[in-house]
């Protein structure tokens, strides 16, 4: 066999020749979303299978959507409790296409890496364990036993357990996550980075320090009584489409909805409920009553402006009682706001004083406000400040511990919140470690482990030699793709537990192993019979999930079984009985993790159960003083040189993170292309460019230039000085050493770039 591919070859960077640009859509949902859901489902699954699978999606006895973490309504689930993008996520997993050993014999790793992400994910489900030997050009089949032996051998050979890293993506079930963290800690390390490090880590850290909890403080019912909902840095129409129904119901009640986003996202303009007659025929419901087109990274300035206006002009709206009784730091906070200049606020946010006053008046009137946010706030250097300004705003009006009000970080992966509850965290608390240690009679390692960025840096420096990923696509999801590729290629062994082929299978350590696992939609038959798993949604509801489809291959194993296999080969532990009956895993969870007591009984109740929530239920803040804390943040202006822009990286309507479903970003009117840079028409003209031009995007950080080739310029309604590109194509530009202070989240939403025109061959 020929020599392996060159590790520096990452992915195709070719210009999208068939790119078509149309007008952004005026409403979300409606007939087109039904059409797309049906077409995609039937294409991947066939009609009969599609009907069967979608009928079980998000039903009480069915499986949890592998898409987003938005909760299911408690008492009014419709027969089709899913959305267009949930249907795509399911089609992607329940596809009838298969990747077999012949496929890997046909394509070398180098050939595979010349294909697009879309092509890779379209090849079907992985069906058997595969092994890439050192210097081999092709993956070859390997038995489960041999694969486990190789992994166990490599882990046992390391001089210290801290030379291994164990990543998790947030789709992993509670049961698998709990076993995984247990194995890793028994092995002797806390090197448990997860996708959360790149996602809502900033939210958790910001809230923990101010309100003493890392989780949101609202439940779905609260949306029924809110009179004002702020959606900031989040695109629910694409990423949490079921939230649009919640917003629609609120809008119909007359609730004010404020969208704060550099882009006027279609999903926040109008919504046509696909399951209502009016949703097919009518104009749809107006959602956002106010749209504030803040500059990228202008949120601290904007939020401070809103609060300054409230404190100065609407002082009577402050909840003085609540502030007195439940908070500290108000005086310094108010003094700082009074000193802040409007000039600085307007320059930092890009929003006029008049519009800030208008929004402030709406918020000041609110008796019950919910603030929802996602990645638009968490992936900046000052992400913690962003989120703490939201907390300040909520505290001002006393929007905690009352119905219809609170903080709502909208989680991404369907069980990312549950994974953290189960102990997937590189910085576990001493109490958590004590509980695990007591239950399993060992001394867990106390030293904090590597987060995602630290793990990449350690691999790059040669200090980590074995990398194991329970799901996800580490190479493409992380920042600085070229740097991360080098980091992974310096490992001796990289292991991916996966359902579908992705780029992390192609950029590997000296040796690599793919372990194919069952997905959410599939039947999980173990010694004691059919098993279900549990997950926790974005609002702390724990419920069961059970797939019914026959597995994509007889060789697939469940994630708990795979973890147990690795643990057995590494530590000699026998977890067969736990894997044979997940109730036994849940019994351990119930004893180790507060809030999960009596898990087996409670999760069998219809719809599951809600975790206790001190802040929401009793204004009991978990800070040392038991009070919520007002915080002060200076407005930081990014250093943007002449001809430079602040670039944010976003998701299209046709992808799930690094999985590309298709080439259409329907709501934004972008078709058949992903290598695009959305830009204000005046900036295009000022750069002497025209829409459609081909450019390289070059990022600038601490004197280092990084280049992403062959993008096309698209004129778009985005504030001047800002541009937007898609994740993951633009990840090569995100510097590994640029991250949020206090959470180490890569700054994927504020990258300083310039554009260089490239000549296109005729
Ligand atoms: N279909 C689908 N569903 C998904 C996902 C998916 O890829 N596809 N991903 C899942 C995951 S893991 C997550 S974390 C969530 C992500 O959900 P989102 O956070 O909604 O995803 P992004 O596309 O990153 O969108 C961020 C939004 O913030 C805006 N924005 C960008 N920069 C700024 C800024 O500086 N300030 C403000 N105020 N806004 C800004 C963008 O215009 C965009 O509307 O979705 C989850 N659900
Ligand atoms: N520039 C930029 N970078 C970003 C972001 C951004 O907004 N901008 N967002 C960040 C965010 S919020 C996140 S959460 C991360 C996402 O990071 P990851 O979670 O690592 O990435 P995904 O693309 O969700 O992972 C997809 C892969 O998961 C595997 N998979 C799917 N289902 C299952 C399953 O049931 N079990 C197992 N074992 N594997 C499965 C499939 O093989 C699939 O190829 O990316 C981050 N990266
Ligand atoms: Mo995420």
């Amino acid at each position: 066999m020929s020599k392996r591919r060159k590790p520096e070859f990452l992915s195709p960077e070719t210009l999208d020749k068939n790119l078509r640009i149309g007008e952004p859509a005026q409403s979300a949902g409606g007939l087109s979303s039904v059409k797309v859901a049906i077409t995609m489902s039937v294409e991947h699954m066939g009609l009969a299978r599609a009907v069967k699978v979608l009928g079980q999606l998000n039903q009480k006895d069915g499986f949890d959507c592998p898409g987003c973490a938005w909760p299911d309504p408690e008492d009014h689930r419709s027969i089709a409790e899913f959305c267009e993008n949930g249907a795509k996520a399911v089609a992607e997993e329940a596809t009838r296409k298969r990747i077999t050993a012949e496929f890997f014999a046909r394509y070398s790793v180098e050939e595979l890496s010349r294909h697009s992400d879309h092509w890779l994910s379209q090849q079907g489900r992985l069906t058997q364990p595969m092994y890439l030997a050192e210097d081999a050009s092709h993956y070859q089949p390997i038995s489960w036993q041999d694969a486990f032996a190789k992994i166990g051998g490599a882990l046992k050979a390391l001089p210290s357990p801290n030379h291994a890293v164990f990543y998790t993506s947030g789709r992993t079930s509670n049961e698998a996550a709990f076993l995984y963290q247990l194995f890793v800690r028994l092995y002797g390390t806390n090197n448990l980075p997860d996708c959360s490090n790149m996602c809502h880590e900033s939210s958790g850290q910001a809230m923990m320090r101010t309100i003493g909890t890392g989780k949101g403080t609202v439940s779905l019912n609260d949306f029924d009584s809110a009179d004002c909902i702020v959606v900031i840095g989040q695109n629910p129409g694409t990423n949490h489409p079921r939230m649009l129904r919640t917003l629609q119901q609120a809008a119909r009640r007359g609730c004010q909805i404020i969208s704060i986003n550099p882009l006027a996202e279609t999903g926040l303009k109008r919504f046509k409920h696909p399951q209502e007659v009016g949703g097919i025929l009518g104009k749809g419901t107006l959602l956002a009553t106010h749209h504030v087109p803040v500059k990228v990274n202008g949120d601290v300035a904007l939020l401070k402006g809103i609060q300054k206006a409230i404190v100065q002009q609407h002082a009577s709206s402050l909840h003085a009682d609540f502030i007195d009784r439940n908070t500290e730091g108000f005086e310094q906070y108010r003094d700082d706001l009074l000193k802040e200049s409007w000039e600085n606020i307007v320059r930092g946010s890009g929003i006029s004083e008049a519009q800030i006053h208008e929004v402030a008046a709406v918020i000041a009137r609110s008796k019950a406000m919910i603030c929802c946010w996602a990645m638009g706030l968490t992936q900046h250097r000052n992400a913690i400040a962003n989120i703490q300004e939201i907390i300040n705003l909520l505290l001002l009006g006393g929007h905690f511990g009352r119905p219809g009000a609170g903080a709502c970080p909208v989680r991404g992966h369907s069980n990312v919140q549950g994974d953290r509850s189960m102990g997937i965290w590189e910085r576990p608390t001493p109490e958590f470690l004590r509980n695990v240690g007591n239950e399993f009679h060992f001394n867990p390692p106390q030293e904090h482990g590597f987060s995602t960025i630290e793990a990449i840096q350690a691999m790059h420096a040669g200090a980590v030699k074995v990398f194991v990923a329970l799901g996800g696509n580490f190479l493409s999801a992380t920042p600085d793709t070229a740097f991360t590729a080098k980091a992974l290629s310096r490992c001796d062994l990289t292991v991916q537990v996966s359902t579908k082929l992705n780029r992390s299978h192609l950029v590997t350590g000296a040796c690599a192993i793919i372990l194919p696992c069952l997905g959410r939609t599939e039947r999980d038959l173990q010694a004691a019979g059919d098993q279900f798993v549990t997950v926790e949604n974005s609002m702390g509801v724990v419920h069961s999930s059970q797939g019914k489809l026959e597995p994509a291959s007889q060789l697939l194993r469940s994630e708990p079984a795979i973890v147990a296999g690795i643990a057995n080969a590494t530590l000699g532990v026998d977890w067969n009985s736990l894997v044979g009956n997940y109730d036994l895993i849940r019994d351990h969870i119930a004893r180790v993790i507060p809030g999960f007591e009596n898990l087996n009984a409670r999760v069998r109740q219809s719809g599951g159960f809600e975790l206790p929530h001190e802040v929401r239920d009793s204004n009991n803040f978990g800070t040392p003083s038991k009070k919520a804390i007002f915080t002060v943040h200076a407005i930081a202006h990014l250093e943007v040189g002449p001809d430079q822009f602040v670039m944010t990286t976003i998701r299209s309507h046709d992808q799930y993170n690094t999985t590309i479903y298709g080439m259409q970003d329907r709501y934004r009117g972008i078709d058949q292309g992903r290598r695009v840079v959305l830009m204000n028409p005046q900036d295009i003209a000022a750069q002497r460019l025209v829409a459609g031009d081909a450019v390289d995007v070059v990022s600038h950080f601490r004197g280092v230039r990084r280049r992403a080739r062959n993008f096309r310029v698209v004129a778009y309604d985005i504030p001047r000085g800002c541009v937007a590109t898609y994740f993951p194509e633009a990840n090569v530009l995100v510097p590994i050493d640029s991250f949020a202070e206090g959470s180490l989240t890569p700054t994927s939403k504020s990258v300083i770039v310039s554009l260089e025109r490239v000549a296109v061959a005729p």
Side-chain angles (χ1 to χ4, degrees), residues 68-70 196 198-204 206-207 230-241 243 258 260-262 265 268 297 299 303 370-380 382-384 386-388 390 407-413 416 538 648-651 657 745-746 748-749:
C68 75
W70 189 255
S196 217
M198 299 176 271
C199 188
H200 268 296
E201 187 77 58
S202 308
S203 308
M207 293 194 293
V230 178
V231 182
I232 173 167
Q234 188 206 348
N235 181 17
T238 286
N239 299 311
H240 308 91
M243 178 175 168
I258 301 171
I260 301 178
N261 196 313
E265 301 285 22
L268 287 165
N297 194 234
D299 300 277
L303 290 165
I370 297 175
C371 291
C372 302
W373 72 90
M375 296 304 103
L377 292 196
T378 62
Q379 301 173 336
H380 299 275
N382 58 348
I384 293 205
N386 273 340
I387 291 141
Q388 291 187 338
I390 291 185
C408 181
V410 184
R411 305 278 162 186
H413 268 300
V416 62
S538 197
T648 186
T649 58
I650 54 177
R651 291 159 168 79
N657 297 340
T745 298
S748 308
K749 293 281 192 281

Side-chain angles (χ1 to χ4, degrees), residues 470-539:
L470 188 54
N473 181 359
F474 192 81
L475 174 80
S476 303
T478 52
D480 221 338
T481 318
F483 186 93
T484 301
K486 192 149 275 168
L488 285 166
S489 68
R490 287 190 177 151
C491 289
D492 296 336
L493 174 66
T494 50
V495 180
Q496 307 283 336
V497 180
S498 313
T499 51
K500 300 285 294 270
L501 186 64
N502 66 46
R503 217 159 280 284
S504 297
H505 304 123
L506 310 179
V507 176
T508 66
C511 302
I513 293 177
I514 301 175
L515 301 176
C517 65
L518 293 174
R520 283 268 174 89
T521 51
E522 288 164 323
R523 186 174 177 203
D524 185 353
L525 183 61
Q526 302 292 347
D530 279 310
Q531 302 296 310
F532 66 86
V533 294
T534 63
V535 292
E536 173 184 343
N537 68 31
S538 197
M539 295 179 195

Side-chain angles (χ1 to χ4, degrees), residues 35-249:
K35 269 204 235 149
V36 173
I38 292 176
T39 315
M40 196 79 118
S41 303
V42 173
E43 189 184 306
H44 285 271
M45 302 186 272
L47 184 61
R49 192 172 168 90
V51 171
K52 178 173 175 194
V53 180
L54 295 178
Q56 295 157 6
L57 178 51
N58 290 332
Q59 297 302 322
K60 285 180 177 166
D61 57 352
F63 65 93
D64 182 52
C65 182
C68 75
W70 189 255
D72 310 306
E74 189 30 52
D75 40 6
H76 43 270
R77 289 189 198 189
S78 61
I79 35 170
E81 190 55 42
F82 61 88
C83 65
E84 172 192 341
N85 280 350
K88 290 181 194 164
V90 168
E92 185 74 23
E93 181 182 299
T95 176
R96 288 186 300 194
K97 293 187 202 146
R98 301 285 177 266
I99 292 184
T100 56
E102 293 77 63
F103 172 91
F104 283 110
R106 176 151 26 107
Y107 295 104
S108 70
V109 172
E110 177 166 346
E111 279 164 332
L112 289 175
S113 51
R114 293 193 188 284
H115 284 283
S116 69
D117 289 328
H118 182 222
W119 186 91
L120 292 179
S121 71
Q122 293 312 299
Q123 301 312 303
R125 287 286 297 279
L126 295 160
T127 53
Q128 69 184 86
M130 299 300 299
Y131 176 59
L132 183 65
E134 191 158 6
D135 285 331
S137 56
H138 291 67
Y139 273 97
Q140 64 195 68
I142 186 172
S143 69
W144 279 102
Q145 206 181 351
D146 290 350
F148 290 146
K150 281 196 191 302
I151 299 167
L155 288 173
K156 281 192 282 192
L158 292 178
S160 145
N162 293 328
H163 291 227
V165 158
F166 302 86
Y167 174 72
T168 313
S169 165
R171 214 177 280 193
T172 295
S173 66
N174 288 338
E175 290 73 9
F178 184 80
L179 271 196
Y180 187 55
Q181 64 81 30
L182 174 63
F183 155 62
V184 171
R185 295 193 165 110
L186 281 167
Y187 172 64
T189 179
N190 283 313
N191 283 347
L192 281 159
D194 68 348
C195 66
S196 217
N197 295 143
M198 299 176 271
C199 188
H200 268 296
E201 187 77 58
S202 308
S203 308
Q205 297 288 337
M207 293 194 293
M208 188 53 96
R209 292 172 210 179
T210 47
I211 56 173
T213 173
K215 296 185 184 177
T217 72
V218 295
S219 61
L220 194 54
N221 295 339
D222 286 311
F223 285 81
D224 296 339
S225 48
D227 61 18
C228 179
I229 299 171
V230 178
V231 182
I232 173 167
Q234 188 206 348
N235 181 17
T238 286
N239 299 311
H240 308 91
R242 287 183 305 133
M243 178 175 168
L244 295 192
R245 272 195 240 172
T246 308
L247 292 178
Q248 182 185 41
Q249 283 157 3

